[in-house]
Amino acid sequence: MKDAGYEVAVFGGDGTGPEVVREGLKVLAALGENGPAPWHPTEYPGGGQYYLKAGKEWEPAAEEAAHRADAILLGAVGWPGATLPNGDIAGRALVLGLREGLDLYANVRPCRLYPGVTHRISGEYRTVWDPKNVDMVIVRENTEDLYTPARGRLTRGGETEVAVDTRLITRKGAERVIRYAFELARARARGAPEDGVRRVTCVDKANVLEGCRFFRETFDRVGQEYSEIPRDYAYVDAFTQWLVRNPEHYNVVVAPNMMGDIITDLAAVLQGGMGFASGGNIGSAHGMFEPVHGSAPKYAGKNQVNPFATFFAVEQMLRWLGDRHADRRLTGQADRLESAVARTLARGAAKTYDQGGSVSTSAAGDLVAAAVRGEAR
Ligand code: IPM
Ligand code: MN
């Protein structure tokens, strides 16, 4: 426990990133009222829009703060036309750069449907899945696989002939993220909605890919240390249909990086859309928390997008800090935020455009901040 409190480095980033982060900070401030708040957020500019203006993705002081802080809260990066000389998106340093640089090896993405949240399917707002059937956590490997910058082009006489991305699956990378998933299954209060079983599902393409065979072997080897936790397997193609058809079967899911990226966007549909999906990028010494959605340039400046993913990111951040520092103040505040969010959603009071409503980003923040104040400390 840190008596002086925790330093949080905050990056709004691009587009709607700063808008949702502003609401996240509003809710964090409401949690910290009535007493000295055990956290100190500091905002730093950075991202693609900053790059267009300043010629660099961020300032050295911002990068230092990210490396020094107890936790990082990130909005979103990416802006049309903001590209680095090598073709990468400007703002990459804040997302992929920090995942690599701080060794944030597990991307932990809860997928839970809260009562009162609807899905937009075929243009209509309805509840397709039963909230009691959607409650899993997808743990995505976050530092290797096709994301390793082992790629390039063969250009001869000015013409590109071949482009190649190398897929690396390492013993270290697979082992630690798989261990994270089993530890999470052990710690989670609930098992799968279907039967309460605390299963861990390994999603891969081990019927074809060597890296996936190695990932699955590692899953079996590490899993033997967790004999009380049933191991479950799914090829990624089949998984996409089972996820939609029987989400109640899943408790903790672990997957290599690229497949994890794809299945978590699909899973977001089950939890009401990208507006509700948050992720924690977690390493052994650092944690960065973010809404999974992007910077949504076409909505930028309109005060229209859904800030709930950022509220969940703040909740994940508080819970992670509380667990890591054995600090009940923070786990208590994470519980308080979750219950304020759940009550607000259940009342159907904060429906933004993606939920078929017209509540603005800032009004949704006001509603959750008010719910936080009404929640027992
Ligand atoms: C995500 C995003 C990132 C990724 C992009 C912005 C680089 O899609 O966090 O899922 O591919 O990991
Ligand atoms: Mn993604």
Side-chain angles (χ1 to χ4, degrees):
M1 171 161 157
K2 276 195 174 179
D3 287 329
Y6 303 90
E7 182 183 354
V8 181
V10 181
F11 298 92
D14 295 317
T16 56
E19 296 175 40
V20 292
V21 159
R22 191 174 308 131
E23 301 316 308
L25 293 178
K26 183 190 280 178
V27 165
L28 193 60
L31 286 167
E33 284 169 9
N34 316 319
W39 48 72
H40 313 293
T42 308
E43 287 184 78
Y44 299 90
Q49 290 175 286
Y50 191 75
Y51 178 79
L52 292 179
K53 205 170 60 189
K56 47 189 159 179
E57 294 174 275
W58 53 358
E59 295 299 325
E63 183 170 5
E64 270 160 43
H67 282 253
R68 179 185 65 228
D70 294 295
I72 301 166
L73 181 65
L74 174 67
V77 297
W79 192 252
T83 311
L84 300 177
N86 71 354
D88 281 344
I89 63 160
R92 178 192 193 281
L94 285 71
V95 195
L96 301 176
L98 286 175
R99 289 179 186 168
E100 291 159 9
L102 301 178
D103 205 13
L104 308 174
Y105 65 82
N107 197 330
V108 182
R109 298 184 159 179
C111 173
R112 183 168 179 194
L113 175 59
Y114 281 80
V117 173
T118 52
H119 316 279
R120 183 158 169 222
I121 308 274
S122 300
E124 279 182 47
Y125 299 92
R126 44 189 158 183
T127 303
V128 179
W129 293 274
D130 187 327
K132 73 177 185 315
N133 286 339
V134 181
D135 183 12
M136 71 190 86
V137 182
I138 301 181
V139 181
R140 162 188 176 193
E141 200 289 320
N142 214 29
T143 56
E144 57 182 43
D145 190 347
L146 282 166
Y147 279 70
T148 312
R151 56 176 74 98
R153 289 174 178 226
L154 173 61
T155 305
R156 290 188 287 213
E159 191 175 341
T160 297
E161 298 187 22
V162 178
V164 61
D165 297 281
T166 311
R167 182 167 191 253
L168 290 176
I169 304 289
T170 70
R171 174 181 291 270
K172 172 179 163 179
E175 191 166 317
R176 61 189 184 174
V177 77
I178 288 165
R179 191 172 297 285
Y180 188 98
F182 279 101
E183 289 291 335
L184 178 65
R186 196 173 257 177
R188 246 165 81 85
R190 313 170 285 268
E194 176 181 73
D195 49 14
V197 171
R198 291 155 171 270
R199 68 177 56 82
V200 179
T201 305
C202 182
V203 172
D204 57 43
K205 189 74 184 172
N207 49 346
V208 179
L209 303 175
E210 199 56 48
C212 281
R213 278 200 272 274
F214 188 45
F215 192 85
R216 193 180 276 212
E217 278 162 33
T218 308
F219 177 77
D220 279 330
R221 178 166 54 78
V222 172
Q224 276 165 20
E225 294 170 36
Y226 300 84
S227 54
E228 81 281 15
I229 297 173
R231 298 198 288 280
D232 185 47
Y233 308 86
Y235 296 136
V236 64
D237 47 352
F239 176 76
T240 58
Q241 43 145 353
W242 294 335
L243 176 70
V244 169
R245 211 178 57 194
N246 299 105
E248 61 275 13
H249 180 68
Y250 298 106
N251 176 43
V252 173
V253 174
V254 65
N257 201 346
M258 183 78 250
M259 292 173 187
D261 179 41
I262 296 167
I263 62 176
T264 50
D265 272 26
L266 176 58
V269 176
L270 277 64
Q271 65 191 124
M274 294 299 277
F276 294 93
S278 69
N281 300 264
I282 298 182
S284 55
H286 297 272
M288 174 167 79
F289 301 83
E290 53 175 344
V292 176
H293 62 71
S295 60
K298 76 172 182 196
Y299 293 101
K302 294 192 172 153
N303 192 25
Q304 206 183 337
V305 295
N306 183 346
F308 276 85
T310 303
F311 303 150
F312 288 122
V314 170
E315 184 209 331
Q316 274 190 284
M317 177 178 82
L318 295 174
R319 209 174 288 291
W320 176 79
L321 278 170
D323 288 345
R324 175 169 163 74
H325 298 276
D327 193 336
R328 274 295 309 160
R329 293 176 303 183
L330 276 85
T331 21
Q333 295 288 19
D335 290 342
R336 190 169 161 228
L337 174 54
E338 198 209 344
S339 116
V341 164
R343 271 201 304 129
T344 308
L345 292 172
R347 285 199 297 133
K351 287 191 178 294
T352 40
Y353 83 95
D354 57 314
Q355 285 283 295
S358 56
V359 172
S360 69
T361 312
S362 57
D366 291 341
L367 285 164
V368 172
V372 158
R373 293 188 184 100
E375 203 63 46
R377 286 174 64 85

Coordinates of all heavy atoms in Angstrom, one line a residue, residues 77 89 95-96 99 107 109 140 142 147 257-258 260-261 264-265 274 281 290-292 294, ligand 1:
V77 N -5.7 5.9 -29.9 CA -4.9 6.6 -30.9 C -5.2 6.2 -32.3 O -5.8 5.1 -32.6 CB -3.4 6.4 -30.6 CG1 -2.9 6.9 -29.3 CG2 -3.0 4.9 -30.8
I89 N 1.1 3.5 -38.0 CA 0.2 4.6 -37.5 C 1.0 5.5 -36.5 O 1.7 5.0 -35.6 CB -1.1 4.1 -36.9 CG1 -0.9 3.3 -35.6 CG2 -1.9 3.3 -37.9 CD1 -2.2 3.2 -34.8
V95 N 0.5 2.8 -27.8 CA -0.2 1.5 -27.6 C 0.7 0.4 -27.8 O 1.2 -0.2 -26.8 CB -1.4 1.3 -28.7 CG1 -2.3 0.2 -28.2 CG2 -2.1 2.5 -28.9
L96 N 1.1 0.1 -29.0 CA 2.0 -1.1 -29.2 C 3.3 -0.8 -28.6 O 3.9 -1.8 -28.0 CB 2.1 -1.4 -30.7 CG 0.8 -1.7 -31.4 CD1 1.0 -1.8 -32.9 CD2 0.1 -2.9 -30.9
R99 N 3.0 -1.5 -24.9 CA 2.8 -3.0 -24.7 C 4.2 -3.7 -24.8 O 4.5 -4.6 -24.0 CB 1.9 -3.6 -25.7 CG 0.4 -3.1 -25.5 CD -0.5 -3.7 -26.6 NE -1.8 -3.2 -26.5 CZ -2.8 -3.3 -27.4 NH1 -2.5 -4.0 -28.5 NH2 -4.0 -2.8 -27.2
N107 N -3.3 -9.2 -22.3 CA -4.3 -8.2 -22.6 C -5.6 -8.8 -22.1 O -6.2 -9.7 -22.7 CB -4.4 -7.8 -24.0 CG -5.2 -6.6 -24.3 OD1 -6.1 -6.2 -23.6 ND2 -4.8 -5.9 -25.3
R109 N -9.4 -8.9 -21.3 CA -10.6 -8.2 -21.8 C -11.9 -8.9 -21.3 O -12.3 -9.9 -21.8 CB -10.6 -8.2 -23.3 CG -9.4 -7.4 -23.8 CD -9.3 -7.2 -25.3 NE -8.4 -6.1 -25.6 CZ -8.2 -5.7 -26.9 NH1 -8.6 -6.4 -27.9 NH2 -7.4 -4.7 -27.1
R140 N -5.7 -12.2 -23.9 CA -5.0 -12.2 -25.2 C -3.5 -12.0 -25.0 O -3.1 -11.1 -24.3 CB -5.6 -11.0 -26.0 CG -4.8 -10.6 -27.2 CD -5.4 -9.3 -27.8 NE -4.5 -8.8 -28.9 CZ -4.6 -7.6 -29.5 NH1 -5.5 -6.8 -29.1 NH2 -3.8 -7.3 -30.4
N142 N 0.0 -10.5 -25.7 CA 0.0 -9.1 -26.0 C 1.4 -8.6 -26.5 O 1.6 -7.4 -26.8 CB -0.4 -8.2 -24.8 CG -1.1 -7.0 -25.1 OD1 -1.8 -6.9 -26.2 ND2 -1.0 -6.0 -24.3
Y147 N 2.3 -9.7 -34.2 CA 2.6 -8.3 -33.8 C 4.1 -8.0 -33.6 O 4.5 -6.9 -33.5 CB 1.8 -7.9 -32.5 CG 0.4 -7.6 -32.8 CD1 -0.5 -8.6 -33.2 CD2 -0.1 -6.3 -32.7 CE1 -1.8 -8.2 -33.5 CE2 -1.4 -6.0 -32.9 CZ -2.3 -6.9 -33.3 OH -3.6 -6.6 -33.6
N257 N -1.9 -13.6 -29.7 CA -2.2 -12.2 -30.0 C -3.2 -11.9 -31.1 O -4.3 -11.3 -30.9 CB -0.9 -11.5 -30.2 CG -0.9 -10.0 -30.0 OD1 -1.9 -9.4 -29.9 ND2 0.3 -9.4 -29.9
M258 N -2.9 -12.3 -32.3 CA -3.7 -11.9 -33.5 C -5.1 -12.5 -33.4 O -6.1 -11.8 -33.6 CB -3.0 -12.4 -34.8 CG -3.7 -12.0 -36.0 SD -3.4 -10.2 -36.5 CE -5.0 -9.5 -36.2
G260 N -6.6 -13.3 -30.6 CA -7.2 -12.6 -29.5 C -7.7 -11.3 -29.9 O -8.8 -10.8 -29.4
D261 N -7.0 -10.6 -30.8 CA -7.5 -9.3 -31.2 C -8.8 -9.4 -31.9 O -9.8 -8.7 -31.7 CB -6.4 -8.7 -32.2 CG -6.8 -7.4 -32.8 OD1 -7.3 -6.5 -32.0 OD2 -6.6 -7.2 -34.0
T264 N -11.9 -10.7 -29.6 CA -12.4 -9.8 -28.6 C -13.3 -8.7 -29.2 O -14.2 -8.2 -28.6 CB -11.3 -9.2 -27.8 OG1 -10.3 -8.6 -28.7 CG2 -10.7 -10.2 -26.8
D265 N -13.1 -8.4 -30.5 CA -14.1 -7.5 -31.2 C -15.4 -8.2 -31.4 O -16.5 -7.6 -31.2 CB -13.5 -7.0 -32.5 CG -12.7 -5.7 -32.4 OD1 -12.1 -5.5 -31.3 OD2 -12.6 -5.0 -33.4
M274 N -18.7 -2.2 -28.9 CA -17.4 -1.8 -28.5 C -17.5 -0.7 -27.4 O -16.5 -0.4 -26.7 CB -16.6 -1.2 -29.7 CG -16.3 -2.2 -30.8 SD -15.2 -3.5 -30.2 CE -13.6 -2.8 -30.3
N281 N -3.9 -4.0 -20.1 CA -2.6 -4.5 -20.6 C -1.7 -4.7 -19.4 O -1.3 -3.7 -18.8 CB -2.0 -3.5 -21.6 CG -2.9 -3.2 -22.8 OD1 -2.7 -3.8 -23.8 ND2 -3.8 -2.3 -22.6
E290 N -7.5 0.6 -21.0 CA -8.0 1.4 -22.1 C -9.4 0.8 -22.6 O -9.6 -0.4 -22.4 CB -7.0 1.3 -23.3 CG -6.6 -0.1 -23.6 CD -5.8 -0.3 -24.9 OE1 -5.7 0.7 -25.7 OE2 -5.2 -1.4 -25.1
P291 N -10.2 1.7 -23.1 CA -11.3 1.1 -23.9 C -10.8 0.4 -25.1 O -9.8 0.9 -25.7 CB -12.1 2.4 -24.3 CG -11.1 3.5 -24.3 CD -10.1 3.2 -23.2
V292 N -11.4 -0.7 -25.5 CA -10.9 -1.4 -26.7 C -11.2 -0.7 -28.0 O -10.4 -0.9 -29.0 CB -11.5 -2.9 -26.7 CG1 -11.1 -3.6 -27.9 CG2 -11.2 -3.6 -25.4
G294 N -11.5 2.3 -31.0 CA -10.5 3.2 -31.5 C -10.9 4.6 -31.3 O -11.8 4.9 -30.5
Ligands
IPM1 C1 -6.6 -3.3 -30.0 C2 -6.4 -2.5 -31.3 C3 -4.9 -2.4 -31.5 C4 -4.4 -3.8 -31.8 C5 -4.5 -1.5 -32.7 C6 -5.0 -0.1 -32.4 C7 -3.0 -1.4 -32.9 O1 -7.0 -3.1 -32.3 O2 -6.1 -2.9 -28.9 O3 -7.2 -4.4 -30.1 O4 -4.3 -4.3 -32.9 O5 -4.0 -4.5 -30.8

